[in-house]
């Protein structure tokens, strides 16, 4: 099969790779209908995450089940499925509490490289969720978004305790931040402040449900949010970047007693203990337990209540994966969908 391999920063190649096979009785192999480039993949592309040796890349995927292992009971060949970037058994105590990304048997699906034609998915029964049938072609991008960025944005809204009638601020205007806006609207927030300096992203944020746009960053953005909320700060803030500035901006934009849901993969983030102590805010985040939300998200997509696939503003054949990375790195694209 053909699949993407990252060799070094700025060096992604699509090459011939060995076809995946069932290696554990709980595995499934799926033929991918669509995959994509994630903002977190750019950490390696930019050299911030070290690339010590060439390896497959990609962790977002939807497709049709080709084969299952002997212990797989619920997932069947021929089903169209959506899966999370973390494989989980969905039966351990941590999974049952709703944190499948920290399953005691969790595996990173991305280690197998989802930017490819086929993918082996471990723990298939606990990781994959089948759609109600073969989806219409126009729903595939939205189902793909559910496998990570929509599920992650949804987790951000849950972690930030977004509630009807409350004010939410979203730090970050990538696909996760934009879909956190969509999630906040679905959760019933009355006011949603999207922080963005880029007009196309601002337009999509407004389409997804943002009521206000803040273009400032850092302390200026904090001051603006507090000014807009009578000096109190937002009830809920969703952080979707992963830098020191974005994390502190999120915490400082939150009112006392409020909630921060942090989603960005942290790079160099160090929280000042004394400030955090006196901020008196709730903090919850980390790798999103996407599997918790997949049944609901698939239903909302199939019923055409939400259209998260709009975050894909560039579609390329798999062979042009490197251009997809370049476009996102240069902010010429919000998110690149790859067609195997």
């Amino acid at each position: 099969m053909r699949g993407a391999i990252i060799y070094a920063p700025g060096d992604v190649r699509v090459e011939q790779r060995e076809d995946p096979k069932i290696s554990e009785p709980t595995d499934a192999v799926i033929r991918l209908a669509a995959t994509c480039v994630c903002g977190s993949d750019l950490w390696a592309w930019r050299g911030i995450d070290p690339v010590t040796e060439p390896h497959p890349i990609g962790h977002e995927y939807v497709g049709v089940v080709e084969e299952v292992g002997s212990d797989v009971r619920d997932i069947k060949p021929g089903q169209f499925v959506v899966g999370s970037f973390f494989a989980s058994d969905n039966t351990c105590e941590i999974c049952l509490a709703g944190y499948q990304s920290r399953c005691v048997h969790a595996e990173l699906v991305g280690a197998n490289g989802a930017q490819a034609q086929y993918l082996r998915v471990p723990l298939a029964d606990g990781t994959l969720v089948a759609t109600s049938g073969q989806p219409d072609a126009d729903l595939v991008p939205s189902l793909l978004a559910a496998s990570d960025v929509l599920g992650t944005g949804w987790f951000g809204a849950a972690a930030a305790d977004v509630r009807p009638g409350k004010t939410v601020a979203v730090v970050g205007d990538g696909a996760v931040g934009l879909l956190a806006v969509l999630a906040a609207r679905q959760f019933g927030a009355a006011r949603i402040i999207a922080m963005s300096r880029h007009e196309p992203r601002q337009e999509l944020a407004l389409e997804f449900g943002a009521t206000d746009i803040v273009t400032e960053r850092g302390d200026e953005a904090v001051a603006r949010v507090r000014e807009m909320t009578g000096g109190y700060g937002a009830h809920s803030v969703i952080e979707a970047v992963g830098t020191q500035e974005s994390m502190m901006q999120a915490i400082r934009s939150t009112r006392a007693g409020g909630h921060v849901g942090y989603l960005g993969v942290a790079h160099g983030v160090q929280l000042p203990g004394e400030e955090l102590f006196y901020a008196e805010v709730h903090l919850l985040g980390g790798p999103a337990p996407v599997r918790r939300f997949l049944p609901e998200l698939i239903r909302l997509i199939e019923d055409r209540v939400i259209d998260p696939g709009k975050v894909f503003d560039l579609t390329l054949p798999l062979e042009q994966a490197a251009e997809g990375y370049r476009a996102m790195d240069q902010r010429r694209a919000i998110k690149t969908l790859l067609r195997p």
Side-chain angles (χ1 to χ4, degrees):
M1 71 169 185
R2 304 290 287 174
I5 296 175
I6 185 165
Y7 278 80
D11 185 5
V12 168
R13 311 174 199 175
V14 177
E15 299 180 343
Q16 199 67 25
R17 288 173 42 198
E18 184 177 351
D19 290 350
K21 296 179 175 61
I22 300 294
S23 60
E24 298 291 338
T26 51
D27 288 348
V29 172
I30 66 174
R31 173 172 45 85
L32 296 177
T35 182
C36 55
V37 180
C38 183
S40 63
D41 295 330
L42 297 180
W43 294 109
W45 172 267
R46 292 167 175 161
I48 298 170
D49 284 347
V51 181
T52 57
E53 60 182 8
H55 61 81
I57 193 167
H59 56 265
E60 298 164 279
Y61 57 97
V62 293
V64 177
V65 178
E66 292 275 298
E67 184 182 4
V68 298
S70 58
D71 288 351
V72 177
R73 298 288 179 261
D74 300 324
I75 297 299
K76 311 291 185 185
Q79 288 180 320
F80 192 97
V81 292
V82 184
S84 170
F85 53 89
F86 265 107
S88 59
D89 60 29
N90 208 34
T91 60
C92 77
E93 291 187 22
I94 304 301
C95 287
L96 295 177
Y99 290 90
Q100 291 91 336
S101 50
R102 303 307 300 151
C103 172
V104 295
H105 299 116
E107 294 185 45
L108 277 169
V109 176
N112 298 327
Q115 291 166 15
Q117 293 177 305
Y118 294 88
L119 178 69
R120 181 182 71 86
V121 180
L123 302 171
D125 277 339
T127 304
L128 299 173
V129 178
T131 58
S132 60
Q134 295 299 314
D136 294 338
D138 68 313
L139 291 182
V140 170
S142 286
L143 292 168
L144 177 61
S147 76
D148 182 353
V149 286
L150 174 62
T152 296
W154 212 265
F155 175 54
D161 195 39
V162 175
R163 299 193 181 192
K166 301 298 185 181
T167 295
V168 181
V170 179
V171 181
D173 63 358
V176 169
L178 291 168
L179 290 175
V181 169
L182 182 152
R185 172 57 68 207
Q186 291 297 310
F187 278 48
R191 191 174 194 184
I192 303 171
I193 303 167
M195 299 183 177
S196 172
R197 291 181 170 182
H198 302 272
E199 186 174 344
R201 298 169 189 238
Q202 293 171 359
E203 292 173 358
L204 191 52
L206 292 169
E207 184 175 348
F208 281 159
T211 57
D212 302 89
I213 301 292
V214 167
T215 58
E216 294 88 348
R217 287 184 180 173
D219 289 341
E220 291 182 355
V222 172
R224 183 79 181 104
V225 170
R226 291 196 171 271
E227 176 189 341
M228 296 167 70
T229 55
Y232 291 108
H235 299 94
S236 302
V237 180
I238 302 169
E239 187 281 329
V241 183
T243 64
Q244 179 75 18
E245 181 184 60
S246 64
M247 190 66 172
M248 296 314 303
Q249 182 176 320
I251 291 170
R252 291 167 180 166
S253 297
T254 308
R255 66 179 58 198
H259 293 73
V260 177
Y262 56 94
L263 307 173
V265 180
H267 284 75
V269 175
Q270 295 184 329
L271 300 182
E274 186 173 356
E275 180 176 354
L276 190 62
F277 182 79
Y278 285 106
E280 208 156 336
V281 299
H282 301 78
L283 295 175
L284 175 61
V290 170
R291 178 61 181 82
R292 185 206 306 180
F293 308 111
L294 277 180
E296 179 183 6
L297 298 180
I298 290 171
R299 178 186 60 79
L300 290 171
I301 291 165
E302 290 184 327
D303 290 347
R304 298 183 182 273
V305 175
I306 57 175
D307 189 6
K310 289 181 177 179
V311 295
F312 295 106
D313 54 348
L314 178 62
T315 298
L316 296 171
L318 175 63
E319 294 294 329
Q320 296 179 29
E323 171 54 23
Y325 278 80
R326 282 190 291 270
M328 289 176 62
D329 179 45
Q330 298 166 7
R331 297 184 76 84
R332 291 186 282 113
I334 299 171
K335 192 167 179 66
T336 302
L337 186 146
L338 300 173
R339 294 284 187 185

